[in-house]
Amino acid sequence: MSERIPVRLYANSTCIKNGTESSSGGWCAILRYGTSHEKTLKGFESSTTPNKMALRAIIEGVKALSKPCEVTVIVNSRYIVDTSGSMKDFKSRGWKTKAGVQMANLDLWQELIAVGKEGGHHMNFQIVDENPGLGYINRCSHVARSEVKSV
């Protein structure tokens, strides 16, 4: 297998009226590779949650990669980073938590695993906090919010 291309995938999401039937959310992924290549992806869904939107951003970002990549996924979501680090444990327990409850958003996690495997990608997850110095995460947040407002 050829060497994987290093890519940084910044992802963020937003959700309004979270926890209600009328919730809606937006997501954004920014892919960066090399010194000058960048692609922005975005979308909107109704009846959703912030965690689902964050997963959707990552899935769509990974789907957009046409060659095997070493993907560094950069998010501000502790849920994404912690859960991604526990995939082997979840799988060994039949996709259940230690308490025996099915893991949240299983369909999306399985989709992410599948698109990563199909593309020959390897993914690492990093968490950052939103602040003025984190341009790409903040940009993703702004784009995700505008997706919700545009509907």
Side-chain angles (χ1 to χ4, degrees):
M1 183 173 176
S2 63
E3 190 172 319
R4 291 184 177 110
I5 299 165
V7 171
R8 294 175 77 79
L9 191 166
Y10 299 87
N12 209 337
S13 63
T14 192
C15 197
I16 59 170
K17 298 182 183 177
N18 191 26
T20 68
E21 287 185 28
S22 61
S23 66
S24 56
W27 59 266
C28 176
I30 298 175
L31 295 164
R32 297 230 353 122
Y33 55 99
T35 57
S36 60
H37 301 284
E38 181 176 308
K39 183 173 189 172
T40 300
L41 305 161
K42 59 187 178 177
F44 167 86
E45 290 182 21
S46 57
S47 301
T48 192
T49 68
N51 290 340
K52 288 180 181 180
M53 291 290 83
L55 283 164
R56 179 56 54 205
I58 298 165
I59 291 165
E60 297 305 322
V62 173
K63 280 182 176 179
L65 300 170
S66 60
K67 296 181 180 176
C69 295
E70 182 71 30
V71 184
T72 302
V73 179
I74 302 163
V75 295
N76 67 345
S77 168
R78 175 62 53 201
Y79 164 74
I80 295 292
V81 173
D82 289 350
T83 305
S84 68
S86 300
M87 278 297 117
K88 287 181 183 177
D89 293 336
F90 279 117
K91 188 174 181 181
S92 71
R93 291 190 301 262
W95 302 108
K96 296 187 186 304
T97 66
K98 290 177 184 176
V101 177
Q102 181 176 311
M103 71 180 288
N105 305 311
L106 176 59
D107 57 334
L108 294 171
W109 283 106
Q110 289 178 327
E111 183 180 357
L112 178 57
I113 292 166
V115 298
K117 187 178 281 189
E118 289 166 10
H121 308 300
H122 180 261
M123 291 178 270
N124 298 298
F125 292 80
Q126 293 180 1
I127 191 161
V128 295
D129 293 321
E130 283 188 78
N131 69 48
L134 299 170
Y136 291 105
I137 289 294
N138 290 339
R139 222 168 90 194
C140 284
S141 180
H142 175 75
V143 171
R145 281 193 304 272
S146 66
E147 283 298 293
V148 174
K149 290 177 184 175
S150 69
V151 176

